[in-house]
Amino acid sequence: MSTVDETEHETKLKDHINEIVLSDDVQRAIEQVLQSSDPLDQPDFNPTDYINQLFPNEQSLSNIDEVIAKMECDISLIDDNIRSVVRGQVNTGENGRVALREAQQSLTQLFSLITDIKNRAEKTEDAVKEITRDIKQLDSAKNNLTYAITTLNHLHMLVGGVENLKHLSERRQYGEVLNPLQAIIEVNQHFHQYSEISQIQTLSAQVQQIQSELATQITDDIKHFFSPTSHSNTNRMSLTQLKDACLVASVLDKPVKKNILKWYINLQLQEYVQLFHENQDIAWLDKIDKRYAWVKRHLLDFEEKFGTVFPADWELSERITVEFCTITRDELTKIMARRRREIDVKLLLFAIQKTANFEQLLAKRFNGTAVEVASEDRERKERHSFHDLIGSCFKPYLDIYTDSIDRELAVLIDQFAQQNQQLVVPKEINPGVIPNCADLFVFYKKCMVQCMQLSNEKPMYDLVLIFKKYLREYAARVLEARIPKPQQPTTTTSSISSSMSLLTKDFQNLSSAAGQVIHNFLKEGDTPRFSVEDVRKICYILATAEYCLETVQQLEDKLKEKIEPSFAAKVDLADEKDVYHRIISNCIQLLVHDLDTGCEQSLLLMTKIAWHSISNVGDQSGFVNQIVTNLRQTVPVIRDNLANSRKYYTQFCHKFVNSFIPKYINTLYRLRPTSTSGGSSTSTASTLTASASSSSISDGPNGAMGASGSAVAAAGNIMGCEQLLLDTHSLKTVLMDLPSIGSQVQRKPPASYTKVVVKGMAKAEMIIKVVMQPVHPAPLFIEQYLKLLPESNVVEFHKILEMKNVRKIEQQQLVEAYKRACPQPQQQQHHTPAASTGGENESSHPTPSTSDASSSGTSHQSQQIAAAAAAISGAGSSIMALGDSLMDKGRIKKIENLIKNRLPN
């Protein structure tokens, strides 16, 4: 066994050795070179699969000899190719060895040549050095000789020049001193490296002594020339000598020139200091222009007399001016600190303006090169070197200016508020904005430009804070204060009491009395609405707030651009923009609420129609006509007055439909458009009530009972649903056209608006269609409900069942079936049912602060009306049922008390 195992192992080993495994890169390279489609050339060649492909069945074995012959032929061809390749590789190896030997020989020859060249170069360099050895020595000797001759010449100049300078300086021949002095100073600097030589030290000391004597002498001569007593002195220098002396002083050490300039500038400004001393009346700010007039006049006199005497590079006029500015700034600082209470804004602005004009004149006249650091806390650029050179003394007092702006704006806002006591909207269709709004921002621009001329640092930031303050003041006192406010609704107690007498006064005409009571409640309970003038006024204020909002944004950008960068991050008018945003939102909400109020009575009328007793479907109902009339009367006025505020008009339309459609759906939930044969006594009572309030009520108790009978006979009637569906579709069409209603130019409403209307009114239509479906069988009804109202919940399902007058027991069963059929997440949705349309509106669209009282009063009044109507309806049905047996006065009194007790307090 061991021998057999070894044999098998050796066989496997040989097979493994014979198997050639190529890497992926090698295989891809072979495929690129040998592009073949033969299966034998594929890397994943499988012999078994190949044979099966050649001989798929027994019949194919008939040509096996041909296949074998072809294979043998291919094998012989491959062998020939292998032999030729092997022979070629043998020849290639031999050729490579020959080429290698030739390359090695070439490298050896090249190395020998390089070595030979290097040796020759070294020999050549030695020969050149030998040839030029004498030349280098001669060149070095020449340089030394030249340097020695130059040094001797300098020494000769120094020795002779010292003696010559002494004689020239004693005779004050400054014109002849200039050139030798410059030469001697340069030569003396050349001998600093030989300062250890005693003779050189002596000569350098003599040069220093001559410079010192010249400095003292020239300084004394200049002072003597300009002294008041020198005009009669015969030893006084001439203008030519003075000019030469100044040139010599420029050559001497810098302190000499600096001291002369300082003395002379002080001499020139001595008169100014005495004339404008802080104790003099002429020194106060109201005469600041006299200071500048004095220096202008003095500079003209100086340049006329001595402009050509002093060297141009001394820039004496500019130096005098800079010193004048420095003295003026210091003097003004002291006098303003002492008399601060006497400074008012007019005086301050006068002084600042005169100073700014003078500084601008100086910047044009001089190039600023002579200006040194006149203010230690600020570096000055060359172009603006004179800017704030004097004016910086006024910066600590700019709060006087900002305080005056504060006072002026307070007066301006008071004027605007008084002008707006009786805000009159222009009669044109598009009135624009309130004029005083533009006046306010023109004043802001004027203040900003003026403050930029004064300072763009802290005073500008203080001005920003003042702007913020009065932007809020304008919003509150001019815009918000003039927004019309709806009148508080009058209490309905007196109306209820007077209406009660109709019930007790004449029981002979009981049904007519009940109808009259309901009519009085509808008439007397109307919520006060805005007049057309008030609506235009609201639009007027909205357009003004929009203009303010846009202008405030521009003002903020401009302030950030102009103010000092360190203060730019603090400039933020976001709170003020929010104020105007709030005014715009408030105006839009008031317009929506007003239009909504006009639709409330129509929706209330909708609940009083006996929908279940409708026998045929006709034109759209009266409440739809009332809503359309309300929209046609109000919306065009708003659209025309917001012609320049299209985005806010579109926002108004959005908010209205978002408020109206939920109210309409809630009103649908309150209707009972169908009747069922198994209805309870409650549905019969509501039938009697609705019939009593309709226009077809017959006088007398017999007529009432006849209406009741017809309602009961119409069990299962869905004509009311069909009429509601028609009315809903009509309302949907009107709402889709709301942005262009009453306009000759029809515009396509925005897609977002169309989406809201379609989604909301589609839900109303689906509710009506669900109500039209029969309750039995229950699974089919629930299936239809989920199909038509997929986003509904249990609360809405309850409301649908109430609309169909389903009995309580059946409702519980249907709700359980609905919960089983409805997805679990949908059951957990929480929609708080609104008790009234007003509650729906308050939860989804909170009203602004200015209309809170009005809105709450309106909602409360609507609830009173609904409760009173329900009480009267219930009382009317009870009276109609018991009218024949309650004719005595005692029982009538009891009924009257009963009705009063059921009415709201």
Side-chain angles (χ1 to χ4, degrees):
M1 285 298 293
S2 61
T3 305
V4 174
D5 294 339
E6 290 178 0
T7 303
E8 292 178 353
H9 178 70
E10 290 176 358
T11 302
K12 293 180 180 180
L13 184 61
K14 290 178 181 179
D15 293 339
H16 178 71
I17 293 173
N18 293 332
E19 182 181 0
I20 299 175
V21 180
L22 300 177
S23 64
D24 295 338
D25 295 336
V26 175
Q27 189 63 44
R28 283 193 295 270
I30 292 173
E31 290 176 356
Q32 291 178 356
V33 176
L34 303 175
Q35 297 180 355
S36 175
S37 60
D38 193 344
L40 294 173
D41 295 333
Q42 302 302 319
D44 56 348
F45 174 73
N46 190 332
T48 304
D49 294 340
Y50 183 69
I51 292 172
N52 290 333
Q53 184 179 0
L54 291 176
F55 306 106
N57 48 40
E58 294 181 0
Q59 288 78 9
S60 60
L61 294 175
S62 59
N63 60 348
I64 189 171
D65 294 332
E66 297 177 0
V67 174
I68 292 174
K70 183 177 181 301
M71 290 292 179
E72 289 176 350
C73 181
D74 292 340
I75 291 172
S76 63
L77 290 174
I78 293 172
D79 290 339
D80 293 340
N81 292 333
I82 292 173
R83 280 193 295 272
S84 63
V85 169
V86 170
R87 289 169 184 167
Q89 290 296 324
V90 172
N91 296 333
T92 302
E94 184 63 27
N95 293 336
R97 285 190 290 273
V98 172
L100 180 62
R101 285 195 297 271
E102 292 177 354
Q104 289 175 346
Q105 292 175 1
S106 299
L107 287 173
T108 303
Q109 294 175 1
L110 180 61
F111 181 74
S112 62
L113 290 174
I114 291 172
T115 304
D116 184 43
I117 291 171
K118 181 180 179 182
N119 294 332
R120 290 182 181 180
E122 291 175 353
K123 292 179 180 179
T124 303
E125 183 180 1
D126 293 339
V128 170
K129 287 181 179 180
E130 184 67 23
I131 294 171
T132 60
R133 181 180 302 167
D134 295 336
I135 296 175
K136 286 184 178 180
Q137 290 178 354
L138 292 173
D139 187 54
S140 177
K142 176 185 175 182
N143 291 336
N144 293 334
L145 181 60
T146 302
Y147 187 75
I149 292 172
T150 302
T151 303
L152 288 174
N153 286 334
H154 287 168
L155 183 61
H156 176 72
M157 290 172 59
L158 183 61
V159 173
V162 168
E163 295 296 330
N164 188 26
L165 279 177
K166 288 182 180 179
H167 296 295
L168 292 176
S169 60
E170 289 175 358
R171 295 194 296 268
R172 288 179 167 78
Q173 297 177 351
Y174 298 122
E176 299 178 7
V177 167
L178 180 62
N179 291 330
L181 179 62
Q182 289 178 325
I184 287 175
I185 291 174
E186 292 177 0
V187 170
N188 189 37
Q189 291 176 351
H190 174 75
F191 282 103
H192 282 170
Q193 55 184 330
Y194 306 110
S195 57
E196 68 275 5
I197 301 174
S198 59
Q199 290 84 353
I200 300 298
Q201 290 179 358
T202 303
L203 290 173
S204 297
Q206 291 177 357
V207 171
Q208 293 294 334
Q209 183 179 0
I210 292 173
Q211 286 180 313
S212 177
E213 290 175 354
L214 274 173
T216 304
Q217 182 176 312
I218 289 174
T219 302
D220 293 341
D221 288 345
I222 292 175
K223 289 181 179 180
H224 179 70
F225 180 86
F226 288 104
S227 63
T229 59
S230 65
H231 297 287
S232 59
N233 195 335
T234 56
N235 294 328
R236 182 172 179 265
M237 288 191 303
S238 64
L239 289 177
T240 303
Q241 287 179 311
L242 177 63
K243 184 176 182 180
D244 294 337
C246 291
L247 292 175
V248 173
S250 298
V251 176
L252 296 174
D253 293 337
K254 289 183 178 180
V256 178
K257 172 184 172 182
K258 184 177 180 181
N259 292 333
I260 293 174
L261 287 174
K262 183 177 180 181
W263 173 84
Y264 184 73
I265 291 171
N266 290 334
L267 177 66
Q268 293 295 309
L269 296 176
Q270 185 176 3
E271 177 187 353
Y272 170 74
V273 173
Q274 295 175 357
L275 185 62
F276 291 91
H277 191 268
E278 60 178 322
N279 295 328
Q280 302 295 326
D281 292 338
I282 198 175
W284 187 228
L285 298 180
D286 58 344
K287 297 180 179 61
I288 195 171
D289 54 334
K290 295 186 181 298
R291 294 176 179 266
Y292 306 138
W294 181 91
V295 75
K296 292 176 190 176
R297 185 171 58 253
H298 187 76
L299 286 176
L300 289 175
D301 293 343
F302 165 76
E303 290 178 355
E304 183 179 352
K305 293 179 181 179
F306 306 107
T308 58
V309 174
F310 292 96
D313 61 337
W314 281 25
E315 296 174 345
L316 197 54
S317 295
E318 186 173 346
R319 292 178 184 273
I320 293 172
T321 304
V322 172
E323 184 64 22
F324 165 82
C325 293
T326 304
I327 294 173
T328 302
R329 184 186 65 233
D330 296 340
E331 290 296 320
L332 289 177
T333 300
K334 290 190 293 184
I335 194 171
M336 284 192 294
R338 186 165 58 87
R339 303 172 62 177
R340 181 185 178 92
R341 294 183 179 180
E342 301 178 32
I343 304 175
D344 58 16
V345 65
K346 289 184 178 180
L347 182 62
L348 181 65
L349 292 179
F350 169 78
I352 292 176
Q353 187 61 47
K354 292 295 182 180
T355 302
N357 293 339
F358 178 68
E359 290 173 346
Q360 291 176 4
L361 178 64
L362 297 182
K364 293 177 182 178
R365 170 65 178 81
F366 303 113
N367 56 18
T369 55
V371 179
E372 298 178 353
V373 180
S375 178
E376 297 179 356
D377 58 350
R378 181 175 178 178
E379 294 183 359
R380 302 182 181 280
K381 297 180 180 179
E382 185 175 344
R383 285 186 61 189
H384 304 288
S385 57
F386 287 95
H387 178 63
D388 275 352
L389 191 57
I390 301 175
S392 59
C393 67
F394 298 113
K395 288 186 177 181
Y397 304 93
L398 288 178
D399 58 329
I400 298 173
Y401 167 74
T402 54
D403 291 343
S404 71
I405 296 298
D406 193 342
R407 292 191 296 271
E408 289 183 32
L409 279 171
V411 173
L412 194 63
I413 295 298
D414 288 338
Q415 293 176 358
F416 292 165
Q418 292 175 3
Q419 293 171 3
N420 279 30
Q421 288 294 335
Q422 298 295 331
L423 181 61
V424 178
V425 184
K427 296 188 179 300
E428 56 264 23
I429 293 179
N430 186 16
V433 300
I434 301 175
N436 56 32
C437 173
D439 296 340
L440 176 67
F441 286 105
V442 168
F443 185 81
Y444 272 19
K445 180 180 179 181
K446 174 185 174 184
C447 294
M448 184 175 65
V449 172
Q450 193 175 47
C451 190
M452 270 296 301
Q453 297 173 351
L454 304 179
S455 173
N456 67 338
E457 297 176 353
K458 189 178 183 302
M460 177 69 84
Y461 180 67
D462 294 338
L463 191 64
V464 171
L465 298 180
I466 295 173
F467 285 174
K468 288 167 64 71
K469 173 184 175 183
Y470 287 100
L471 283 173
R472 293 191 295 269
E473 285 281 322
Y474 184 83
R477 298 181 57 191
V478 179
L479 296 185
E480 287 184 333
R482 299 280 76 80
I483 295 177
K485 297 177 176 59
Q487 299 177 1
Q488 291 294 333
T490 57
T491 179
T492 61
T493 304
S494 60
S495 300
I496 294 172
S497 300
S498 61
S499 299
M500 288 304 98
S501 63
L502 292 173
L503 289 176
T504 58
K505 185 176 181 180
D506 190 5
F507 272 90
Q508 298 298 324
N509 197 1
L510 192 56
S511 60
S512 176
Q516 184 64 31
V517 169
I518 295 173
H519 177 74
N520 289 344
F521 270 103
L522 293 178
K523 181 177 180 181
E524 296 175 1
D526 288 344
T527 303
R529 295 187 59 190
F530 292 122
S531 63
V532 174
E533 188 62 26
D534 286 343
V535 170
R536 295 186 71 236
K537 189 179 295 185
I538 292 174
C539 295
Y540 196 35
I541 293 173
L542 189 151
T544 303
E546 180 188 12
Y547 171 80
C548 291
L549 182 62
E550 295 173 353
T551 312
V552 167
Q553 181 61 54
Q554 298 172 7
L555 177 66
E556 182 180 13
D557 296 340
K558 186 61 68 174
L559 287 170
K560 287 183 177 180
E561 176 186 344
K562 297 297 183 181
I563 202 170
E564 180 75 16
S566 59
F567 290 94
K570 299 180 181 180
V571 177
D572 184 12
L573 303 183
D575 293 340
E576 288 66 37
K577 288 185 284 187
D578 290 342
V579 169
Y580 290 101
H581 271 300
R582 187 178 69 246
I583 293 175
I584 293 172
S585 179
N586 188 7
C587 291
I588 293 174
Q589 192 61 42
L590 286 176
L591 296 174
V592 170
H593 178 72
D594 179 68
L595 190 59
D596 233 351
T597 302
C599 298
E600 282 184 0
Q601 297 302 326
S602 302
L603 295 179
L604 187 60
L605 177 62
M606 178 181 173
T607 62
K608 303 306 175 185
I609 299 175
W611 295 99
H612 57 278
S613 63
I614 294 177
S615 58
N616 59 347
V617 179
D619 293 335
Q620 62 189 27
S621 301
F623 78 92
V624 177
N625 294 331
Q626 289 184 6
I627 292 174
V628 173
T629 301
N630 177 37
L631 297 180
R632 289 185 180 276
Q633 290 175 350
T634 307
V635 174
V637 177
I638 298 173
R639 182 181 59 244
D640 292 341
N641 284 271
L642 293 180
N644 293 334
S645 304
R646 294 294 304 178
K647 63 178 179 179
Y648 293 117
Y649 172 69
T650 303
Q651 187 177 342
F652 157 77
C653 295
H654 268 279
K655 287 192 175 184
F656 171 71
V657 295
N658 279 323
S659 173
F660 174 77
I661 293 177
K663 287 185 177 182
Y664 181 74
I665 292 175
N666 275 352
T667 306
L668 284 179
Y669 284 139
R670 296 168 56 190
L671 304 182
R672 301 295 180 264
T674 64
S675 62
T676 58
S677 57
S680 63
S681 60
T682 305
S683 76
T684 305
S686 71
T687 299
L688 291 172
T689 304
S691 300
S693 62
S694 66
S695 59
S696 61
I697 293 178
S698 302
D699 293 337
N702 294 330
M705 294 306 295
S708 175
S710 64
V712 174
N717 181 23
I718 62 170
M719 287 297 179
C721 293
E722 293 181 358
Q723 182 65 45
L724 272 175
L725 200 58
L726 174 64
D727 295 338
T728 302
H729 182 73
S730 299
L731 276 178
K732 177 181 177 182
T733 304
V734 172
L735 292 178
M736 288 288 289
D737 191 44
L738 180 66
S740 300
I741 191 170
S743 174
Q744 296 178 354
V745 180
Q746 296 295 319
R747 294 185 179 180
K748 186 177 180 180
S752 57
Y753 173 82
T754 304
K755 182 178 179 181
V756 172
V757 174
V758 170
K759 182 177 180 181
M761 297 306 291
K763 181 177 180 180
E765 293 176 345
M766 293 303 105
I767 290 172
I768 299 171
K769 290 181 179 180
V770 168
V771 174
M772 295 173 66
Q773 301 296 323
V775 177
H776 302 289
L780 182 59
F781 174 72
I782 294 173
E783 180 183 353
Q784 290 296 321
Y785 180 88
L786 292 175
K787 181 179 180 181
L788 296 175
L789 295 171
E791 297 180 358
S792 184
N793 54 25
V794 178
V795 176
E796 291 185 345
F797 187 71
H798 267 295
K799 294 180 179 180
I800 298 293
L801 296 179
E802 290 288 341
M803 291 179 69
K804 294 181 66 63
N805 284 323
V806 179
R807 291 180 299 179
K808 297 296 183 182
I809 297 176
E810 292 183 7
Q811 285 188 24
Q812 294 178 1
Q813 296 172 355
L814 288 170
V815 168
E816 293 298 328
Y818 170 78
K819 289 181 178 179
R820 289 193 298 270
C822 183
Q824 188 66 25
Q826 191 170 338
Q827 296 182 32
Q828 296 176 356
Q829 290 179 356
H830 179 69
H831 289 192
T832 303
S836 65
T837 56
E840 177 83 5
N841 185 37
E842 289 174 3
S843 62
S844 58
H845 300 280
T847 57
S849 59
T850 58
S851 60
D852 285 343
S854 173
S855 300
S856 61
T858 303
S859 176
H860 180 63
Q861 184 182 14
S862 300
Q863 294 174 3
Q864 284 182 329
I865 292 170
I872 297 299
S873 300
S877 61
S878 300
I879 290 168
M880 286 185 286
L882 301 175
D884 295 334
S885 61
L886 298 177
M887 298 301 293
D888 60 291
K889 294 183 179 180
R891 293 187 179 183
I892 292 174
K893 191 67 175 177
K894 290 182 180 179
I895 292 174
E896 184 179 356
N897 293 333
L898 176 63
I899 293 171
K900 288 184 177 179
N901 290 333
R902 294 180 64 181
L903 292 174
N905 294 326

